[in-house]
Amino acid sequence: MTAMNGVIVRVQGVHKRFGHLEVLKGIDIDLHKGEVLVIFGRSGSGKSTLLRCVNFLDDPTEGTIEVAGVRLSGGHRTRRKREQIRQLRAHVGMVFQQFNLFPQMTTLENVMVGPMCVKGRDKDAASARAHELLEQVGLGDKADEHPIRLSGGQQQRVAIARALAMQPDVMLFDEPTSALDPELTGEVLSVMKSLATDMHMPMMVVTHEMGFAREVSDRMAFFHEGAILEQGPPAQIFGSTQFAETRRFLDAVL
């Protein structure tokens, strides 16, 4: 896959501190339209924190983040900044390790609720779109089921449909298969691959699934102790890594 022209996410000079602990140490990275960026590295290296900063679930301590033309600086929130964060989040869909579905709602209702409550869509339009998205993720026959009756892989596919229902310009995936049994991982990765190849959805994916990274990603970024140690296309990362730390990590997970 080749990234289309244009930058959809731009991260510049981003630091994140929790007290005296600096988790991100000056991150600079772009995501282009149509591009799949896989972020990988050891636990605690700052990968998930970066995604949370892109969506302003965590406020960067320093630096700037721009998503689909909405540009925000790190630091304290003000009333104006809270509104800007709301605008930025309207362009972003995020899928977490845990599925976070509403247990009292059916699968269909879980996908409908965002467009109705946030975007003011009428019930019929939201329902029609939700049915389409459930079909897209292979769950058209599960519309009336509650999450408790779904497997973990099915619940995560509902979570993807729910994020897509908000019509995001970019999707963020934070280790979306880490809570799944190995036999269920493939069905979620298959949906993500379809998003990349069929919809050309820009995606930032934190994952240890190196098979997915090799096959689907345009670019990989290796995080080490809060910084990007190395980045490049999969062929470069897998075939001729420049740093021993990257090779040790790959040898451990491959």
Side-chain angles (χ1 to χ4, degrees), residues 173-224:
F173 291 89
D174 185 9
E175 300 195 40
T177 61
S178 65
L180 301 178
D181 294 331
E183 63 268 25
L184 300 178
T185 295
E187 63 189 53
V188 173
L189 295 178
S190 177
V191 169
M192 293 169 62
K193 181 179 177 181
S194 177
L195 291 180
T197 58
D198 299 337
M199 295 180 60
H200 303 290
M201 174 65 73
M203 295 161 49
M204 299 179 76
V205 184
V206 171
T207 186
H208 294 308
E209 298 291 340
M210 293 296 101
F212 173 86
R214 189 193 298 269
E215 183 179 1
V216 180
S217 74
D218 298 288
R219 188 160 43 99
M220 300 173 66
F222 179 63
F223 269 54
H224 180 67

Side-chain angles (χ1 to χ4, degrees), residues 3-183:
M4 292 178 253
N5 292 331
V7 174
I8 192 70
V9 176
R10 172 155 287 164
V11 176
Q12 294 181 300
V14 165
H15 293 254
K16 178 60 183 177
R17 300 183 188 91
F18 295 99
H20 296 295
L21 178 64
E22 188 172 31
V23 180
L24 297 177
K25 303 174 181 177
I27 301 297
D28 294 297
I29 197 163
D30 290 344
L31 178 73
H32 294 81
K33 293 178 180 178
E35 185 180 30
V36 178
L37 170 66
V38 163
I39 298 168
F40 69 113
R42 293 178 180 82
S43 297
S45 59
K47 311 179 303 295
S48 294
T49 300
L50 174 64
L51 288 198
R52 292 179 62 85
C53 284
V54 169
N55 204 23
F56 276 81
L57 294 172
D58 288 331
D59 284 45
T61 308
E62 299 174 32
T64 62
I65 290 174
E66 183 174 341
V67 179
V70 181
R71 188 171 185 268
L72 287 171
S73 298
H76 297 297
R77 294 194 183 191
T78 62
R79 181 179 299 176
R80 180 172 180 268
K81 186 176 179 181
R82 283 194 291 270
E83 173 58 23
Q84 291 174 315
I85 289 172
R86 188 193 67 77
Q87 294 172 10
L88 181 145
R89 286 179 179 163
H91 297 284
V92 180
M94 189 158 184
V95 177
F96 299 88
Q97 298 177 35
Q98 301 299 327
F99 323 122
N100 299 325
L101 300 179
F102 296 112
Q104 75 278 16
M105 294 183 180
T106 66
T107 295
L108 186 70
E109 289 167 342
N110 265 280
V111 180
M112 291 170 60
V113 64
M116 290 176 63
C117 293
V118 178
K119 294 200 168 186
R121 299 278 164 77
D122 69 74
K123 186 175 181 179
D124 289 343
S127 176
R129 180 59 177 153
H131 277 292
E132 291 176 4
L133 290 168
L134 288 174
E135 289 286 350
Q136 184 176 328
V137 300
L139 294 173
D141 61 338
K142 301 293 185 183
D144 296 325
E145 299 283 6
H146 285 77
I148 196 171
R149 295 178 60 86
L150 303 179
S151 70
Q154 289 171 332
Q155 290 187 57
Q156 191 63 295
R157 284 187 280 157
V158 174
I160 294 172
R162 181 179 60 182
L164 290 172
M166 299 300 290
Q167 299 178 296
D169 293 299
V170 59
M171 289 283 288
L172 311 179
F173 291 89
D174 185 9
E175 300 195 40
T177 61
S178 65
L180 301 178
D181 294 331
E183 63 268 25

